[in-house]
Amino acid sequence: MTIDFPLVLVVLVFGSGGIWLFDTLFMAPRRRRTRQALQVAHPQWSDEGSKDAAAYEAKVRTTASEPVLVEYSRSFFPVLFVVFVLRSFLVEPFQIPSSSMVPTLEVGDYILVNKFTYGIRLPVVRTKVMNINEPRRGDVMVFFPPHMNDTYYIKRVIGLPGDTVSYRNKRLFVNGEPVPTESLTVVPDGQARVEVGLEILGDQPHLMQDDQTRPGRDFSLVVEPGHYFMMGDNRDNSSDSRVWGLVPERDIVGKAFAIWMHWDSLFSIPSFSRAGTIK
């Protein structure tokens, strides 16, 4: 079962904030009045050193003390609220679980995703409330794919709305023009022959690779309005728009912009050698 962390965070923030606000407006004044009434009725109880001081404190605890739930809500709400704002509208961390973006991103990379560059969106409902920028060809983007709409995916933007995207003999074409690609090296990998190349989509060159021993999956399509065609940089080992279709604009999460740590497993030592911007 996939845990919907954004929904959990929203519930915790608004739940703790609501409890704290309700207590501040209604319950706390009542407790203050109860304490004042006790002091008026039994002024001797509140005197330090009085033999009745213990009884006074016990009475206050049972009738006018702050409930534990309110105490926890008041303590945790500011922290939860800061995390909610940062994660929902500014920057969110992710961990790369698969090799579909190799060589750009490796399994175990921890990345940062800009949540506002493509517009401000409400968490959970995904409604855009403010336009800022649109995805550009070549961006590495996090999104919810149509076939698993509650799971985060990361791929590269290949086709924008209205683009014609084609793939022939392992060459990528956009609007009839071949995407500039330079072969860098061919690496034997078991029974595979992995060719690593430098590809230019938009303004930034990026690394990609394909397996020369596997046949290419040729196709040609026109990207629908309000949708994006996504592909992994590991072209022959990526489940992407070639398999499950186009990504609607409303399912965009944000732009991946930096690797901040690499951690293979729980029993390994984290490394910062791969820290840097994502191209």
Side-chain angles (χ1 to χ4, degrees):
M1 182 179 65
T2 302
I3 298 176
D4 192 340
F5 186 75
L7 178 59
V8 172
L9 186 58
V10 167
V11 171
L12 289 175
V13 169
F14 284 92
S16 60
I19 290 171
W20 186 19
L21 180 62
F22 180 81
D23 181 77
T24 301
L25 295 178
F26 301 104
M27 305 308 295
R30 183 179 300 177
R31 291 196 300 271
R32 285 195 296 269
R33 290 194 296 270
T34 299
R35 285 195 294 269
Q36 292 169 357
L38 287 173
Q39 290 173 350
V40 171
H42 307 281
Q44 73 281 6
W45 283 13
S46 58
D47 293 338
E48 290 189 13
S50 169
K51 63 180 181 180
D52 295 318
Y56 173 74
E57 291 297 330
K59 189 71 173 178
V60 168
R61 282 196 301 270
T62 56
T63 62
S65 62
E66 183 178 71
V68 174
L69 180 60
V70 174
E71 181 181 353
Y72 279 121
S73 297
R74 176 170 49 81
S75 300
F76 286 114
F77 172 74
V79 177
L80 291 170
F81 182 76
V82 170
V83 172
F84 169 75
V85 172
L86 289 176
R87 188 184 184 280
S88 300
F89 304 111
L90 299 178
V91 176
E92 184 172 2
F94 288 92
Q95 185 256 340
I96 302 300
S98 74
S99 61
S100 69
M101 284 296 290
V102 170
T104 304
L105 298 172
E106 297 181 359
V107 177
D109 282 346
Y110 283 74
I111 66 170
L112 296 175
V113 173
N114 185 320
K115 298 294 290 288
F116 63 85
T117 189
Y118 298 141
I120 304 298
R121 300 170 188 271
L122 297 178
V124 181
V125 296
R126 308 178 190 174
T127 302
K128 182 187 286 189
V129 295
M130 181 184 298
N131 288 314
I132 298 179
N133 298 305
E134 299 297 331
R136 298 192 303 174
R137 198 178 293 114
D139 287 354
V140 177
M141 191 167 77
V142 174
F143 56 92
F144 297 102
H147 72 302
M148 297 179 67
N149 206 239
D150 58 351
T151 303
Y152 294 103
Y153 268 47
I154 182 168
K155 308 289 178 186
R156 192 176 297 275
V157 179
I158 303 296
L160 305 178
D163 281 349
T164 299
V165 180
S166 303
Y167 197 61
R168 299 193 298 271
N169 297 322
K170 301 205 175 187
R171 285 295 306 274
L172 187 62
F173 297 79
V174 177
N175 296 325
E177 298 293 329
V179 174
T181 306
E182 176 187 353
S183 179
L184 299 180
T185 184
V186 177
V187 182
D189 184 11
Q191 296 182 348
R193 291 181 68 252
V194 175
E195 180 178 9
V196 179
L198 190 68
E199 189 176 71
I200 301 177
L201 273 170
D203 299 330
Q204 289 289 338
H206 63 272
L207 295 175
M208 50 75 66
Q209 69 180 39
D210 57 48
D211 182 355
Q212 293 297 300
T213 64
R214 297 178 62 177
R217 293 176 284 177
D218 293 354
F219 66 88
S220 182
L221 58 81
V222 177
V223 183
E224 300 173 11
H227 290 72
Y228 296 87
F229 187 88
M230 314 297 297
M231 290 179 70
D233 289 345
N234 193 354
R235 294 287 159 77
D236 291 314
N237 190 22
S238 172
S239 174
D240 48 40
S241 287
R242 294 171 289 180
V243 177
W244 33 252
L246 304 174
V247 175
E249 192 276 338
R250 74 175 300 272
D251 291 332
I252 292 174
V253 174
K255 179 182 178 181
F257 68 93
I259 301 170
W260 65 276
M261 182 180 72
H262 181 86
W263 194 6
D264 284 322
S265 68
L266 184 63
F267 302 102
S268 65
I269 299 175
S271 169
F272 297 94
S273 60
R274 287 181 50 76
T277 57
I278 296 173
K279 296 181 180 180

